[in-house]
Amino acid sequence: MTNDKYKILNWLEVLAIAAWGSLMLKYWLTGKLNLLIHPDYFWLVIAGGIGFLSVAGLKAAQLLRQRRILPVRHISLLPPGFSSILLIVTAIAGLIFTPRVFASQTAMQRGVTDFLAATRSQPQAFYGSVKPEARSLLDWVRTLNVYPEPDAYTGQKVKVQGFTIHPPEFPPNYLLLSRFVITCCAADAYPVGLPVKLTEDRQAYPPDTWLEVEGQMITETLKDKRQLTIQANAAPKKIPEPQNPYEY
């Protein structure tokens, strides 16, 4: 392989490292990082992005100073430069396309639940003094995990926000109000939700519509299961998608 080809391969490595550093920092600066990862790990991504750009800069400066590049032999099944090109292409795709929020279709595939399995984040404390109407949707699910008898909450006021899901097995005046919860990154995000009993047909609120629902808790039997259900006092209020649509 000629010296020029070695130069090209080295510059491809620099571009790949710089592209991924730029991608990490772009998501952070545009506020999209919370769609991909838990805020506790933002610092890792930011440090990684800065580190990648620093390495790319140092390697670029080294290449500019070198007149002749000594070949380094690697044993690989892939053609030289293939992995660098693949990394560059995927990074460019990430720079062009904005990550999208999980929607009702993904929630249906993953299964919406009002129960947190042992492998998911569990409540670290139970604050009985919190007013029911101040609880978020996730707070209600966590409360149910501490004491899962739905009748214990009958009559309590509720005011929660989430996106709509239309389970086909629910009657026409019921829908699910759901939020995704991230424990580490988007790959492990899971949906939680509670049924809502409406005063009208749910077709007025298409799937993925963000709603604020006020009402009181009741117990209903849905899908042959007694479930804590929100009885809406009036027509739910349509709201814009929150800047951060996930719970933690």
Side-chain angles (χ1 to χ4, degrees):
M1 188 178 293
T2 65
N3 190 57
D4 287 343
K5 287 187 177 178
Y6 279 119
K7 277 187 177 180
I8 292 172
L9 293 177
N10 278 276
W11 277 109
L12 283 176
E13 289 180 3
V14 172
L15 286 175
I17 296 170
W20 273 94
S22 302
L23 180 62
M24 290 176 174
L25 294 183
K26 180 221 171 187
Y27 284 157
W28 170 52
L29 294 172
T30 57
K32 299 298 182 184
L33 199 53
N34 57 358
L35 301 182
L36 302 172
I37 197 166
H38 192 288
D40 287 351
Y41 306 108
F42 278 13
W43 68 272
L44 280 173
V45 178
I46 297 167
I50 294 172
F52 278 9
L53 288 179
S54 300
V55 170
L58 291 172
K59 191 170 177 63
Q62 183 185 29
L63 289 175
L64 290 173
R65 286 196 303 268
Q66 285 182 330
R67 293 185 176 180
R68 180 175 177 78
I69 298 176
L70 297 176
V72 179
R73 296 186 179 279
H74 297 286
I75 299 175
S76 174
L77 296 176
L78 301 175
F82 178 82
S83 56
S84 297
I85 293 173
L86 184 62
L87 287 171
I88 292 170
V89 170
T90 52
I92 290 174
L95 289 168
I96 294 174
F97 300 103
T98 302
R100 299 185 63 181
V101 178
F102 288 136
S104 60
Q105 189 64 33
T106 307
M108 294 284 283
Q109 291 170 353
R110 297 191 179 188
V112 185
T113 179
D114 58 4
F115 176 74
L116 298 175
T119 55
R120 294 173 173 173
S121 60
Q122 299 293 316
Q124 300 300 310
F126 184 78
Y127 299 101
S129 60
V130 175
K131 290 183 178 180
E133 58 269 32
R135 293 174 184 152
S136 68
L137 199 58
L138 181 58
D139 290 335
W140 275 106
V141 172
R142 285 175 170 162
T143 303
L144 265 177
N145 274 256
V146 175
Y147 191 73
E149 172 51 54
D151 285 344
Y153 311 101
T154 297
Q156 291 191 7
K157 294 181 179 178
V158 57
K159 182 179 180 182
V160 292
Q161 297 179 345
F163 64 89
T164 58
I165 299 174
H166 290 185
E169 60 274 23
F170 276 18
N173 61 326
Y174 287 80
L175 55 77
L176 265 177
L177 197 70
S178 180
R179 298 289 290 260
F180 272 93
V181 182
I182 287 183
T183 54
C184 180
C185 64
D188 63 28
Y190 58 90
V192 297
L194 290 174
V196 178
K197 186 177 183 180
L198 302 168
T199 56
E200 56 192 325
D201 192 282
R202 66 186 180 192
Q203 295 305 322
Y205 309 99
D208 301 320
T209 303
W210 280 85
L211 298 178
E212 181 177 271
V213 181
E214 286 191 65
Q216 61 182 3
M217 287 302 189
I218 59 174
T219 300
E220 293 283 275
T221 301
L222 299 167
K223 296 191 293 184
D224 299 325
K225 176 187 173 186
R226 292 174 64 249
Q227 295 190 49
L228 188 65
T229 303
I230 302 170
Q231 167 76 67
N233 287 339
K237 177 184 174 185
K238 293 183 179 179
I239 59 172
E241 181 183 291
Q243 185 175 2
N244 185 359
Y246 298 138
E247 298 268 16
Y248 304 101

